[in-house]
Amino acid sequence: MSILIKDVRAILTAPAGIDLVVVKVETTEPELYGLGCATFTQRALAVKTAVDEYLRPFLIGKDPSRIEDIFQSSMVNAYWRNGPVLNNAISGVDMALWDIKGKVAKMPLYDLLGGKCREAASIYRHADGRDPSEVAEKVLRFKEEGLQYVRCQMGGYGGKTKMRRKPQGALPGAYFDADAYEQSVPVLFSYLRDKLGYEIELLHDVHERLSPVRAVALAKNLEPYRLFFLEDALAPEQIEWFRMIRAQCATPIAMGELFNNPNEWKMLITEQLIDFIRVHISQIGGITPARKLAAFCETYGVRTAWHGPGDVSPVGHAANIHLDLAAPNFGIQEWAGLNEPLREVFPGCPEMKDGYVYLNEKPGLGIDMDEQAAAKYPCAHKVPEWTVTRLPDGTLVRP
Ligand code: MG
């Protein structure tokens, strides 16, 4: 008898204090189930409702081996598509179906995708400090741990040291000064290169916090320091300005963690305006669209740099690493690190050693979830303050 989907549900947990959403797809075959990451941490309950109330009844009784058909039909089942809530819900199901397919085939996901191109994924960590010397110290500490790539930031996403005066009655928020930020970054990297040389790869994230023309200036000013990449220099609404950055300097560019629809990268890839795609894989709908996007990039010489922050579940991190190992055009993997409670809730986590992350050899995604342990870490459903970001005069801007 063929295997069918028996149940689909979203499980919420916060072992590291960050709300995570994981989807479990159970089948009519005893003990055969899959897990997928559906984490949209700021709207976790909305994703849970989409999974439990809409995808569950749509999917029960369907054949879990038909991943492509389920992806396509789930995308249009709500008619309106490619929003972050529904894409994350679909990703939870999509990754779980790939997990099930690997378990049925008795193969790790990277084998289903064509096999390993490398043994492990090179990763970068995030060094943050109040001033250049503090950042340099943190980079050196990472280097001692074996890291070969480090993203360097000053004061979170920056611009907090010098600040223009606020007007009276300015509303609360996470204030920052875009001009002070922009001027501080070349100073930071000049210091880091003097101190550390050019052996270690350095990265930086603008977090779309500059006006377009100042972002062009920053990319040019950073060119002498040979970044591995400059991330999210522009907001998703301003991507035409990448043509100007490209025409004026050779700083490698990474873009896209806020995109929802894979077509948002299309112009940037076909015009070869970026070097790395930043993709929050659950945000675009899971492994099915991500592997196609990676293959599309390969033709144009663009490499992958999947988003790997703390608001990706270990299931999502495992999916990232499987794609990393199987893609010829893998670039780099962001790695947030996993604490003990995360390892307790998710047995089989990928492991970091000497600047690389390794997978186990188990079939599917190779990671499980202890639901009893997960229940010990309830979600707080609080949206962080940094999402209310303001310029010195009180104007609300993108975070
Ligand atoms: Mg980023």
Side-chain angles (χ1 to χ4, degrees):
M1 217 178 79
S2 61
I3 299 168
L4 300 174
I5 294 174
K6 194 175 80 180
D7 200 8
V8 178
R9 64 201 158 88
I11 304 159
L12 269 54
T13 183
I18 299 172
D19 296 357
L20 303 176
V21 186
V22 172
V23 171
K24 186 167 190 173
V25 175
E26 289 171 291
T27 72
T28 50
E29 184 83 6
E31 305 300 307
L32 178 63
Y33 59 88
L35 298 172
C37 184
T39 301
F40 178 0
T41 196
Q42 293 87 347
R43 293 292 185 270
L45 289 169
V47 176
K48 181 172 169 51
T49 299
V51 172
D52 293 352
E53 305 295 333
Y54 295 102
L55 289 176
R56 181 178 183 273
F58 179 64
L59 296 173
I60 286 177
K62 288 194 163 61
D63 175 354
S65 74
R66 299 193 169 206
I67 299 175
E68 187 69 38
D69 186 73
I70 287 176
F71 174 79
Q72 299 288 347
S73 59
S74 299
M75 267 284 164
V76 295
N77 182 247
Y79 182 48
W80 280 282
R81 58 189 178 271
N82 280 313
V85 172
L86 295 184
N87 277 7
N88 269 286
I90 290 168
S91 164
V93 171
D94 183 74
M95 287 185 193
L97 296 182
W98 280 102
D99 192 22
I100 289 169
K101 193 175 279 295
K103 288 175 176 173
V104 170
K106 298 187 170 59
M107 282 184 195
L109 176 64
Y110 59 75
D111 264 337
L112 291 179
L113 298 175
K116 279 185 188 175
C117 290
R118 55 195 64 75
E119 301 313 307
S122 288
I123 53 113
Y124 71 81
R125 299 292 306 266
H126 183 103
D128 187 10
R130 280 165 299 182
D131 55 41
S133 72
E134 212 176 270
V135 179
E137 265 174 49
K138 293 210 174 144
V139 176
L140 282 170
R141 224 173 299 153
F142 279 135
K143 207 177 159 194
E144 279 163 23
E145 288 172 25
L147 264 94
Q148 304 170 92
Y149 302 79
V150 182
R151 189 171 70 184
C152 302
Q153 310 287 144
M154 224 165 21
Y157 287 102
K160 286 177 193 148
T161 43
K162 269 193 295 175
M163 185 85 76
R164 286 180 210 277
R165 278 194 316 278
K166 287 186 208 170
Q168 289 180 356
L171 295 176
Y175 278 77
F176 90 108
D177 187 320
D179 293 333
Y181 160 65
E182 185 217 326
Q183 289 170 49
S184 73
V185 182
V187 175
L188 168 66
F189 281 92
S190 169
Y191 180 90
L192 292 175
R193 285 308 188 196
D194 277 351
K195 191 97 181 163
L196 308 166
Y198 283 78
E199 236 174 73
I200 189 153
E201 296 279 7
L202 302 177
L203 303 77
H204 182 72
D205 188 356
V206 179
H207 229 254
E208 52 171 349
R209 288 184 144 202
L210 294 175
S211 66
V213 75
R214 297 319 306 172
V216 177
L218 179 63
K220 283 169 69 171
N221 292 337
L222 289 174
E223 194 176 27
Y225 309 115
R226 202 181 181 282
L227 295 195
F228 186 74
F229 66 55
L230 182 67
E231 172 178 348
D232 286 0
L234 298 165
E237 295 82 357
Q238 304 293 351
I239 58 171
E240 292 80 5
W241 287 76
F242 277 115
R243 295 191 183 107
M244 207 165 296
I245 292 180
R246 200 53 142 190
Q248 296 197 36
C249 70
T251 295
I253 299 294
M255 179 63 190
E257 75 184 46
L258 280 152
F259 290 172
N260 296 297
N261 182 336
N263 287 298
E264 289 176 81
W265 281 274
K266 193 154 69 179
M267 179 274 276
L268 297 175
I269 295 166
T270 58
E271 291 191 26
Q272 288 153 319
L273 300 178
I274 59 172
D275 302 276
F276 298 89
I277 48 165
R278 289 286 284 157
V279 185
H280 195 95
I281 287 182
S282 67
Q283 185 80 5
I284 65 165
I287 292 163
T288 295
R291 75 189 182 102
K292 293 178 192 173
L293 184 59
F296 181 64
C297 284
E298 187 191 345
T299 309
Y300 293 93
V302 174
R303 291 187 279 166
T304 65
W306 312 125
H307 198 216
D311 55 327
V312 165
S313 73
V315 176
H317 288 298
N320 283 345
I321 310 292
H322 279 277
L323 288 161
D324 293 339
L325 297 199
N329 56 326
F330 164 69
I332 189 75
Q333 179 59 56
E334 178 180 18
W335 183 249
L338 303 171
N339 67 5
E340 268 317 306
L342 282 168
R343 287 167 203 282
E344 178 200 357
V345 174
F346 296 98
C349 282
E351 293 293 342
M352 187 184 82
K353 200 172 168 244
D354 287 336
Y356 286 98
V357 169
Y358 294 81
L359 292 168
N360 58 48
E361 307 290 322
K362 290 187 184 137
L365 289 169
I367 189 161
D368 208 344
M369 185 177 197
D370 179 338
E371 290 189 55
Q372 271 183 331
K376 292 195 298 188
Y377 305 100
C379 292
H381 303 295
K382 291 227 167 65
V383 176
E385 199 218 19
W386 61 262
T387 57
V388 182
T389 298
R390 295 185 188 277
L391 294 178
D393 74 349
T395 305
L396 188 100
V397 290
R398 300 176 191 100

